[in-house]
């Protein structure tokens, strides 16, 4: 489990190439972005998380303006990191 810096989210890269969010801090940028515990990140600016090395993956997710493709409760949505 990795903290995403000042973004206020805790995430884990998964073996299938996605990233699962396991924690969101109240009042954080992650919460302001609309992210929720259990969200599965499937794309980052249109690319699979597999295309990023581990350091770049976490920094890119937390960067303001990054478009995140999310699967939540079976539905696919897009959020923009705040």
């Amino acid at each position: 489990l990795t903290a995403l810096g000042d973004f206020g989210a805790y995430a884990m890269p998964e073996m299938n190439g996605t990233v699962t969010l396991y924690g969101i801090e109240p009042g954080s940028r992650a919460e302001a972005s609309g992210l929720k515990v259990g969200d599965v990140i499937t794309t980052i600016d249109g690319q699979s998380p597999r295309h990023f090395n581990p350091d770049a993956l976490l920094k890119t997710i937390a960067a303001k303006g990054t478009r995140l493709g999310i699967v939540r409760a079976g539905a696919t949505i897009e959020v923009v990191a705040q």
Side-chain angles (χ1 to χ4, degrees):
L1 193 61
T2 303
L4 300 178
D6 69 347
F7 192 54
Y10 298 88
M12 176 73 70
E14 305 292 350
M15 296 297 292
N16 66 2
T18 63
V19 177
T20 302
L21 298 178
Y22 287 96
I24 303 292
E25 293 179 7
S28 67
R29 289 180 34 232
E31 183 181 62
S33 301
L35 296 172
K36 300 192 180 299
V37 171
D39 283 353
V40 177
I41 300 171
T42 57
T43 61
I44 302 167
D45 284 337
Q47 296 185 35
S48 168
R50 291 180 198 254
H51 292 120
F52 295 85
N53 71 49
D55 289 335
L57 173 69
L58 301 176
K59 288 178 185 174
T60 303
I61 290 171
K64 289 183 181 178
T66 299
R67 292 175 297 115
L68 302 171
I70 304 290
V71 173
R72 179 185 296 155
T76 301
I77 61 171
E78 184 177 277
V79 300
V80 177
Q82 302 297 308

XYZ file of all heavy atoms in Angstrom:
592
model
N 0.863 -1.177 0.000
C 0.000 0.000 0.000
C 0.904 1.233 0.000
O 1.828 1.317 0.779
C -0.878 -0.024 1.237
C -2.058 0.922 1.290
C -3.037 0.644 0.170
C -2.758 0.778 2.616
N 0.615 2.164 -0.899
C 1.463 3.334 -1.060
C 0.651 4.614 -0.913
O -0.424 4.738 -1.498
C 2.121 3.315 -2.460
O 2.856 2.105 -2.598
C 3.045 4.481 -2.639
N 1.174 5.563 -0.154
C 0.544 6.876 -0.034
C 0.916 7.700 -1.256
O 2.066 7.690 -1.698
C 1.019 7.577 1.226
N -0.057 8.402 -1.817
C 0.180 9.221 -3.004
C 0.474 10.667 -2.599
O -0.248 11.598 -2.947
C -1.017 9.155 -3.949
C -1.360 7.758 -4.456
C -2.581 7.794 -5.352
C -0.185 7.149 -5.203
N 1.538 10.840 -1.837
C 2.004 12.164 -1.438
C 0.916 13.025 -0.837
O 0.117 12.567 -0.030
N 0.865 14.291 -1.273
C -0.116 15.229 -0.735
C -1.498 15.075 -1.368
O -2.402 15.842 -1.094
C 0.376 16.669 -0.892
C 0.422 17.136 -2.331
O 0.311 16.309 -3.251
O 0.567 18.358 -2.544
N -1.684 14.069 -2.206
C -2.962 13.839 -2.872
C -4.005 13.298 -1.897
O -5.194 13.502 -2.062
C -2.759 12.879 -4.039
C -3.923 12.778 -4.981
C -4.481 13.902 -5.569
C -4.454 11.543 -5.296
C -5.545 13.803 -6.449
C -5.517 11.428 -6.177
C -6.059 12.563 -6.757
N -3.548 12.579 -0.868
C -4.464 12.081 0.158
C -5.139 10.776 -0.193
O -6.251 10.504 0.249
N -4.463 9.951 -0.985
C -5.010 8.639 -1.337
C -3.958 7.574 -1.065
O -2.761 7.841 -1.098
C -5.421 8.606 -2.801
N -4.439 6.369 -0.804
C -3.572 5.212 -0.590
C -3.949 4.176 -1.636
O -5.124 3.822 -1.771
C -3.759 4.664 0.828
C -3.380 5.697 1.852
C -4.323 6.607 2.317
C -2.072 5.802 2.299
C -3.975 7.589 3.231
C -1.718 6.784 3.218
C -2.663 7.673 3.672
O -2.310 8.651 4.572
N -2.951 3.730 -2.388
C -3.223 2.891 -3.556
C -2.292 1.698 -3.602
O -1.223 1.697 -2.992
C -3.061 3.720 -4.827
N -2.718 0.698 -4.373
C -1.916 -0.502 -4.579
C -1.999 -0.890 -6.052
O -3.090 -1.147 -6.552
C -2.447 -1.648 -3.720
C -1.736 -2.966 -3.949
S -0.082 -3.028 -3.267
C -0.434 -3.042 -1.540
N -0.844 -0.902 -6.743
C -0.838 -1.452 -8.104
C -1.176 -2.945 -8.030
O -0.670 -3.656 -7.162
C 0.586 -1.227 -8.584
C 1.111 -0.111 -7.720
C 0.443 -0.331 -6.387
N -2.034 -3.396 -8.917
C -2.478 -4.786 -8.921
C -1.791 -5.568 -10.035
O -1.303 -4.990 -11.007
C -4.002 -4.853 -9.096
C -4.793 -4.050 -8.070
C -4.722 -4.594 -6.655
O -4.209 -5.710 -6.441
O -5.192 -3.889 -5.748
N -1.775 -6.886 -9.915
C -1.132 -7.757 -10.898
C -1.776 -7.642 -12.285
O -1.129 -7.877 -13.294
C -1.165 -9.215 -10.435
C -0.373 -9.472 -9.169
S 1.400 -9.140 -9.356
C 1.853 -10.454 -10.470
N -3.052 -7.257 -12.346
C -3.740 -7.159 -13.635
C -3.490 -5.830 -14.340
O -4.082 -5.557 -15.381
C -5.241 -7.408 -13.466
C -5.930 -6.339 -12.648
O -5.317 -5.370 -12.210
N -7.221 -6.508 -12.433
N -2.639 -4.973 -13.774
C -2.290 -3.713 -14.416
C -3.133 -2.532 -14.000
O -2.936 -1.427 -14.496
N -4.069 -2.736 -13.091
C -4.875 -1.625 -12.586
C -4.282 -1.145 -11.262
O -3.323 -1.716 -10.757
C -6.340 -2.059 -12.375
O -6.381 -3.086 -11.375
C -6.972 -2.552 -13.673
N -4.888 -0.093 -10.710
C -4.480 0.433 -9.407
C -5.742 0.577 -8.567
O -6.702 1.226 -8.990
C -3.773 1.798 -9.546
C -3.430 2.370 -8.177
C -2.526 1.677 -10.416
N -5.752 -0.032 -7.380
C -6.920 0.033 -6.499
C -6.669 1.034 -5.385
O -5.587 1.064 -4.796
C -7.216 -1.353 -5.890
O -7.424 -2.281 -6.955
C -8.448 -1.316 -5.005
N -7.684 1.857 -5.100
C -7.598 2.826 -4.011
C -8.142 2.193 -2.734
O -9.279 1.747 -2.696
C -8.387 4.088 -4.358
C -7.881 4.835 -5.586
C -8.759 6.050 -5.865
C -6.433 5.253 -5.420
N -7.313 2.173 -1.695
C -7.673 1.541 -0.431
C -7.932 2.551 0.678
O -8.390 2.175 1.747
C -6.587 0.565 0.002
C -6.585 -0.687 -0.833
C -5.739 -0.814 -1.924
C -7.450 -1.730 -0.545
C -5.755 -1.960 -2.699
C -7.470 -2.881 -1.315
C -6.622 -2.982 -2.392
O -6.648 -4.115 -3.164
N -7.639 3.818 0.434
C -7.885 4.835 1.442
C -7.929 6.210 0.815
O -7.172 6.498 -0.105
N -8.836 7.053 1.304
C -8.956 8.445 0.872
C -9.054 9.300 2.134
O -9.919 9.068 2.980
C -10.228 8.670 0.013
C -10.251 7.754 -1.209
C -10.355 10.149 -0.391
C -9.210 8.034 -2.258
N -8.171 10.272 2.277
C -8.189 11.136 3.457
C -9.291 12.195 3.310
O -9.414 12.825 2.252
C -6.840 11.820 3.629
C -5.730 10.859 3.967
C -4.384 11.547 4.122
O -4.313 12.791 4.106
O -3.393 10.813 4.249
N -10.085 12.387 4.366
C -11.111 13.435 4.334
C -10.480 14.808 4.079
O -9.428 15.129 4.637
C -11.738 13.381 5.728
C -11.433 11.999 6.224
C -10.093 11.641 5.628
N -11.114 15.594 3.216
C -10.628 16.933 2.914
C -9.438 16.973 1.966
O -8.887 18.045 1.716
N -9.044 15.838 1.431
C -7.869 15.759 0.560
C -8.198 16.123 -0.888
O -9.366 16.209 -1.281
C -7.293 14.342 0.593
O -8.218 13.439 -0.006
N -7.168 16.306 -1.680
C -7.346 16.527 -3.119
C -7.996 15.307 -3.769
O -8.804 15.449 -4.690
C -5.998 16.817 -3.783
C -5.429 18.173 -3.423
C -4.082 18.483 -4.078
N -3.937 17.933 -5.397
C -2.898 17.181 -5.788
N -1.916 16.912 -4.957
N -2.830 16.731 -7.010
N -7.676 14.118 -3.294
C -8.288 12.905 -3.843
C -9.797 12.924 -3.615
O -10.578 12.625 -4.523
C -7.666 11.656 -3.218
N -10.219 13.311 -2.406
C -11.642 13.396 -2.116
C -12.294 14.481 -2.973
O -13.377 14.285 -3.527
C -11.873 13.689 -0.636
C -13.352 13.715 -0.277
C -13.584 14.020 1.185
O -13.187 15.129 1.637
O -14.158 13.159 1.862
N -11.627 15.641 -3.120
C -12.154 16.732 -3.945
C -12.280 16.310 -5.415
O -13.135 16.815 -6.138
C -11.262 17.965 -3.821
N -11.448 15.371 -5.827
C -11.499 14.864 -7.199
C -12.670 13.913 -7.410
O -12.995 13.570 -8.543
C -10.193 14.128 -7.547
O -9.088 14.998 -7.421
N -13.275 13.468 -6.310
C -14.403 12.541 -6.399
C -14.020 11.084 -6.272
O -14.841 10.196 -6.512
N -12.769 10.815 -5.902
C -12.334 9.426 -5.742
C -12.886 8.833 -4.460
O -13.107 9.544 -3.478
C -10.811 9.354 -5.752
C -10.167 9.771 -7.075
C -8.658 9.860 -6.927
C -10.549 8.803 -8.184
N -13.096 7.511 -4.483
C -13.652 6.802 -3.334
C -12.860 5.519 -3.084
O -12.281 4.949 -4.007
C -15.111 6.454 -3.583
C -15.978 7.690 -3.828
C -17.435 7.361 -3.792
C -18.293 8.578 -4.029
N -18.146 9.629 -3.079
N -12.870 5.074 -1.828
C -12.246 3.794 -1.484
C -12.885 2.705 -2.337
O -14.107 2.664 -2.495
C -12.419 3.490 0.016
C -11.967 2.077 0.339
C -11.658 4.511 0.851
N -12.057 1.854 -2.905
C -12.541 0.767 -3.756
C -12.514 1.086 -5.234
O -12.665 0.187 -6.063
N -12.318 2.366 -5.592
C -12.195 2.711 -7.005
C -11.002 1.981 -7.600
O -9.963 1.825 -6.948
C -11.982 4.217 -7.194
C -13.240 5.037 -7.039
O -14.340 4.446 -6.906
O -13.127 6.274 -7.050
N -11.168 1.548 -8.840
C -10.088 0.871 -9.558
C -9.706 1.753 -10.745
O -10.530 2.024 -11.623
C -10.519 -0.529 -10.034
C -9.406 -1.187 -10.837
C -10.905 -1.397 -8.841
N -8.466 2.211 -10.742
C -7.968 3.047 -11.829
C -7.555 2.135 -12.976
O -6.680 1.279 -12.819
C -6.782 3.915 -11.371
C -7.217 4.832 -10.226
C -6.208 4.718 -12.535
C -6.075 5.577 -9.559
N -8.187 2.322 -14.127
C -7.901 1.494 -15.297
C -7.140 2.242 -16.381
O -6.483 1.623 -17.207
C -9.196 0.925 -15.899
O -10.068 2.012 -16.235
C -9.888 -0.004 -14.912
N -7.247 3.584 -16.374
C -6.470 4.394 -17.321
C -5.992 5.666 -16.639
O -6.638 6.196 -15.732
C -7.285 4.786 -18.576
O -8.408 5.564 -18.183
C -7.708 3.573 -19.380
N -4.854 6.147 -17.101
C -4.254 7.385 -16.624
C -3.936 8.206 -17.865
O -3.087 7.804 -18.665
C -2.978 7.106 -15.811
C -3.292 6.194 -14.618
C -2.334 8.411 -15.365
C -2.068 5.616 -13.959
N -4.659 9.295 -18.052
C -4.538 10.090 -19.285
C -4.652 9.201 -20.522
O -3.899 9.333 -21.480
C -3.238 10.892 -19.297
C -3.301 12.120 -18.395
O -4.420 12.609 -18.116
O -2.231 12.591 -17.974
N -5.586 8.259 -20.467
C -5.875 7.403 -21.613
C -4.972 6.193 -21.771
O -5.174 5.391 -22.680
N -3.989 6.036 -20.919
C -3.059 4.911 -21.019
C -3.264 3.941 -19.859
O -3.630 4.341 -18.759
C -1.618 5.399 -20.996
C -1.236 6.264 -22.163
C 0.236 6.602 -22.112
O 1.068 5.798 -21.699
N 0.583 7.803 -22.519
N -2.958 2.690 -20.116
C -2.997 1.688 -19.056
C -1.930 2.001 -18.012
O -0.821 2.424 -18.368
C -2.726 0.302 -19.642
O -2.494 -0.640 -18.611
N -2.242 1.799 -16.737
C -1.215 1.972 -15.706
C 0.029 1.123 -15.955
O 1.109 1.456 -15.485
C -1.929 1.545 -14.419
C -3.370 1.847 -14.682
C -3.549 1.511 -16.147
N -0.096 0.051 -16.724
C 1.066 -0.807 -17.038
C 2.165 -0.053 -17.771
O 3.316 -0.467 -17.757
C 0.644 -1.975 -17.934
C -0.205 -2.984 -17.294
C -0.528 -4.060 -18.336
N -1.668 -4.834 -17.938
C -1.601 -6.068 -17.481
N -0.436 -6.670 -17.363
N -2.682 -6.714 -17.132
N 1.821 1.038 -18.461
C 2.793 1.780 -19.262
C 3.683 2.704 -18.447
O 4.533 3.381 -19.004
C 2.068 2.591 -20.348
C 1.449 1.740 -21.389
N 0.092 1.744 -21.646
C 1.978 0.818 -22.225
C -0.171 0.885 -22.592
N 0.951 0.303 -22.962
N 3.481 2.744 -17.124
C 4.241 3.640 -16.260
C 5.158 2.832 -15.355
O 4.759 1.790 -14.844
C 3.290 4.455 -15.376
C 2.398 5.401 -16.144
C 1.209 4.952 -16.683
C 2.758 6.722 -16.306
C 0.377 5.809 -17.385
C 1.937 7.594 -17.006
C 0.745 7.140 -17.550
N 6.372 3.340 -15.131
C 7.205 2.698 -14.121
C 6.612 3.067 -12.764
O 5.829 4.018 -12.655
C 8.680 3.074 -14.266
C 8.981 4.504 -13.877
O 8.568 4.974 -12.817
N 9.696 5.218 -14.720
N 6.939 2.323 -11.696
C 6.272 2.547 -10.402
C 6.334 3.984 -9.883
O 5.335 4.515 -9.395
C 6.987 1.584 -9.465
C 7.435 0.477 -10.357
C 7.819 1.163 -11.652
N 7.480 4.652 -9.990
C 7.585 6.022 -9.492
C 6.724 6.976 -10.314
O 5.999 7.804 -9.767
C 9.035 6.500 -9.498
C 9.875 5.820 -8.435
O 9.298 5.361 -7.429
O 11.100 5.746 -8.615
N 6.801 6.860 -11.625
C 6.019 7.736 -12.501
C 4.527 7.467 -12.332
O 3.715 8.397 -12.394
C 6.430 7.549 -13.958
N 4.154 6.226 -12.109
C 2.745 5.858 -11.942
C 2.127 6.657 -10.795
O 1.113 7.321 -10.960
C 2.621 4.358 -11.664
C 1.240 3.849 -11.296
C 0.312 3.926 -12.499
C 1.328 2.425 -10.780
N 2.741 6.617 -9.647
C 2.183 7.270 -8.464
C 2.209 8.781 -8.582
O 1.258 9.459 -8.207
C 2.908 6.790 -7.218
C 2.816 5.269 -6.999
C 3.645 4.869 -5.797
C 1.384 4.818 -6.846
N 3.274 9.341 -9.154
C 3.355 10.789 -9.344
C 2.312 11.271 -10.341
O 1.704 12.320 -10.159
C 4.756 11.183 -9.806
C 5.798 11.077 -8.712
C 7.169 11.430 -9.224
C 8.213 11.195 -8.153
N 9.565 11.391 -8.655
N 2.098 10.513 -11.405
C 1.146 10.918 -12.443
C -0.281 10.870 -11.922
O -1.080 11.770 -12.201
C 1.300 10.041 -13.696
O 2.652 10.120 -14.156
C 0.372 10.495 -14.811
N -0.628 9.841 -11.156
C -1.978 9.754 -10.587
C -2.268 10.997 -9.745
O -3.360 11.556 -9.799
C -2.149 8.480 -9.742
C -2.160 7.246 -10.648
C -3.432 8.543 -8.899
C -2.099 5.928 -9.900
N -1.291 11.450 -8.976
C -1.492 12.553 -8.040
C -1.337 13.935 -8.669
O -1.619 14.936 -8.023
C -0.523 12.414 -6.870
N -0.913 14.012 -9.927
C -0.689 15.315 -10.569
C -2.017 15.996 -10.910
O -2.942 15.352 -11.411
C 0.147 15.132 -11.826
N -2.099 17.292 -10.639
C -3.318 18.050 -10.959
C -3.574 17.985 -12.457
O -2.665 18.130 -13.263
C -3.179 19.500 -10.507
C -3.216 19.655 -9.014
C -3.145 21.110 -8.603
C -3.155 21.215 -7.088
N -3.047 22.588 -6.629
N -4.829 17.744 -12.807
C -5.232 17.707 -14.209
C -5.159 16.338 -14.860
O -5.601 16.168 -15.987
N -4.616 15.338 -14.161
C -4.551 13.994 -14.720
C -5.956 13.419 -14.840
O -6.746 13.487 -13.899
C -3.689 13.070 -13.834
O -2.360 13.586 -13.773
C -3.640 11.663 -14.380
N -6.274 12.863 -16.016
C -7.566 12.212 -16.233
C -7.440 10.740 -15.831
O -6.589 10.022 -16.345
C -7.983 12.309 -17.706
C -8.314 13.718 -18.150
C -8.616 13.799 -19.635
N -7.445 13.411 -20.418
C -7.375 12.330 -21.214
N -8.407 11.532 -21.367
N -6.271 12.054 -21.865
N -8.292 10.317 -14.907
C -8.254 8.945 -14.404
C -9.518 8.212 -14.830
O -10.628 8.648 -14.517
C -8.149 8.945 -12.878
C -6.934 9.668 -12.288
C -7.067 9.774 -10.785
C -5.651 8.972 -12.692
N -9.351 7.108 -15.544
C -10.469 6.228 -15.861
C -10.671 5.298 -14.680
O -9.738 4.618 -14.237
N -11.879 5.287 -14.145
C -12.190 4.572 -12.905
C -13.315 3.579 -13.151
O -14.288 3.896 -13.832
C -12.677 5.570 -11.824
C -11.659 6.675 -11.568
C -13.079 4.868 -10.545
C -10.419 6.238 -10.879
N -13.182 2.393 -12.554
C -14.317 1.472 -12.473
C -14.803 1.512 -11.032
O -14.025 1.295 -10.096
C -13.930 0.040 -12.886
C -15.078 -0.917 -12.618
C -13.523 -0.002 -14.352
N -16.090 1.841 -10.884
C -16.712 1.946 -9.554
C -18.065 1.242 -9.630
O -18.923 1.644 -10.411
C -16.903 3.405 -9.169
C -17.572 3.587 -7.802
C -17.867 5.043 -7.504
N -16.632 5.819 -7.408
C -16.566 7.128 -7.629
N -17.652 7.806 -7.966
N -15.423 7.758 -7.520
N -18.225 0.211 -8.825
C -19.488 -0.535 -8.765
C -19.943 -0.971 -10.156
O -21.108 -0.886 -10.505
C -20.563 0.300 -8.076
N -18.992 -1.405 -10.976
C -19.303 -1.933 -12.299
C -19.450 -0.892 -13.389
O -19.556 -1.235 -14.563
N -19.457 0.385 -13.028
C -19.583 1.456 -14.024
C -18.219 2.096 -14.259
O -17.401 2.205 -13.347
C -20.568 2.511 -13.550
N -17.980 2.526 -15.498
C -16.737 3.216 -15.828
C -17.007 4.709 -15.877
O -17.942 5.155 -16.542
C -16.199 2.727 -17.184
O -15.976 1.317 -17.120
C -14.893 3.420 -17.540
N -16.192 5.470 -15.145
C -16.317 6.921 -15.121
C -14.938 7.532 -15.298
O -13.925 6.824 -15.221
C -16.952 7.427 -13.808
C -16.094 7.041 -12.602
C -18.374 6.913 -13.660
C -16.540 7.677 -11.300
N -14.893 8.828 -15.539
C -13.612 9.540 -15.606
C -13.633 10.669 -14.605
O -14.636 11.381 -14.483
C -13.358 10.080 -17.006
C -11.991 10.747 -17.119
C -11.674 11.223 -18.512
O -11.220 10.417 -19.322
O -11.919 12.422 -18.798
N -12.547 10.814 -13.866
C -12.386 11.938 -12.962
C -11.082 12.646 -13.306
O -10.182 12.051 -13.905
C -12.398 11.518 -11.467
C -13.694 10.849 -11.094
C -11.227 10.637 -11.135
N -11.012 13.904 -12.953
C -9.805 14.689 -13.171
C -9.221 15.038 -11.813
O -9.915 15.566 -10.944
C -10.109 15.976 -13.973
C -8.849 16.819 -14.140
C -10.709 15.623 -15.330
N -7.940 14.711 -11.635
C -7.275 14.980 -10.353
C -7.257 16.470 -10.085
O -6.888 17.269 -10.951
C -5.862 14.419 -10.362
N -7.658 16.853 -8.875
C -7.688 18.269 -8.458
C -6.405 18.645 -7.767
O -5.723 17.871 -7.216
C -8.878 18.495 -7.528
C -10.198 18.147 -8.145
C -10.556 18.993 -9.348
O -10.523 20.216 -9.285
N -10.873 18.367 -10.445
